[in-house]
Each structure stands twice: as C-alpha cells, then as structure tokens.
Amino acid sequence: MKGSSDKIVISYEQPDWLIHNIDSKGGILSFSERTNGRLPLFSLVSLHESRTELLVSLPGGYGPDNLSVESTGGHVFVSSLAGNISIKTLTGNINYNLSSAPVESDIKASTVSGAIKVNGSEVDKKTYERVEYARETPS
C-alpha cells in the first residue's frame, strides 16, 4: 500500500516457529520466511497455523518498476498502487483496491483455489489448474 512516510516500511508479526529474512540487492527488495524447525512439527500444520501479517508501505511519490508478491497460502491485499504488479498465491484470495491507481497499471494475478477481486468485484477467470486475472495496458 501507499504509506505516509518517505521510506519503505515493512511491518511483520513473526510467529515462534518461523524465521524471516529481508534483503536488498541490486535495487530489489525481498522478504521471505521459513520454518526454524520448532513447533509445529509438521510443515502442513505450520502452513495452516501461520496467521501472520506482512504489511509493506511504499512512499507516496515512489513507483517501483515492478512489484511481485508470491505466497504459498496467504491472502494478498493491494491498495492504491500503480505500475506492473504480479501476484501469485496457492490457496488465498487476491484483492486489488485500485480506485486511485492510474488506468495504465498492468496487473497479473493467479491463485489455485482462491478468488480474485478488483475494487470489490470478482473478476477472475477459472482454468483447469488455477484462477487467473490479467489487465495489460500499453504502459
């Protein structure tokens, strides 16, 4: 989402059994998390019990060339961002609130079993393997 700060702000609630990593190389900012080997013992349980929230706020005047979000099972919310946005998730929903984003924003989204909504309306196209949505512009 667009933030009010002049810096990129990352807020994360870390559960006891996950480790996170934030890295910046070559103009690319990345965030990832993985298990630390503690409870819960089974990876399937850790995927379903990990109810954490990651919030990335970008400066109001900043527009990244590309924004890519990938999640194995989380819900993704994008609010008032413009540019090339690509989001993939396995089991979560994807929600875009683009009411203040320029029309020339490119959007690509896919989820295996979730739904995709833009400005509150379901816009997805179901295929054999996944649910997809794309809005490509000449930007």
Side-chain angles (χ1 to χ4, degrees):
M1 67 177 284
K2 291 277 184 185
S4 56
S5 172
D6 61 347
K7 298 180 181 184
I8 296 174
V9 178
I10 297 175
S11 304
Y12 174 64
E13 176 188 352
Q14 181 173 328
D16 293 340
W17 60 87
L18 293 176
I19 299 171
H20 75 281
N21 184 47
I22 300 173
D23 196 14
S24 176
K25 288 184 184 172
I28 297 174
L29 177 67
S30 63
F31 175 93
S32 61
E33 65 180 1
R34 63 181 172 79
T35 182
N36 62 11
R38 292 187 297 196
L39 289 174
L41 298 174
F42 304 104
S43 2
L44 180 62
V45 174
S46 69
L47 287 174
H48 290 285
E49 294 299 322
S50 178
R51 303 294 255 176
T52 61
E53 181 175 301
L54 171 67
L55 175 64
V56 179
S57 299
L58 300 177
Y62 174 70
D65 293 335
N66 188 330
L67 178 64
S68 176
V69 177
E70 294 185 25
S71 173
T72 56
H75 299 289
V76 179
F77 298 87
V78 176
S79 179
S80 61
L81 289 177
N84 298 321
I85 302 170
S86 173
I87 296 180
K88 296 178 185 176
T89 183
L90 290 179
T91 61
N93 294 330
I94 299 171
N95 291 281
Y96 288 101
N97 179 358
L98 299 175
S99 53
S100 62
V103 175
E104 62 271 2
S105 299
D106 285 350
I107 301 167
K108 292 180 184 165
S110 71
T111 178
V112 174
S113 63
I116 301 170
K117 294 182 179 181
V118 174
N119 295 332
S121 298
E122 199 163 315
V123 295
D124 50 39
K125 176 180 84 172
K126 293 175 178 29
T127 66
Y128 175 70
E129 295 178 340
R130 66 187 75 242
V131 178
E132 298 176 337
Y133 171 75
R135 182 178 85 173
E136 296 179 7
T137 65
S139 63

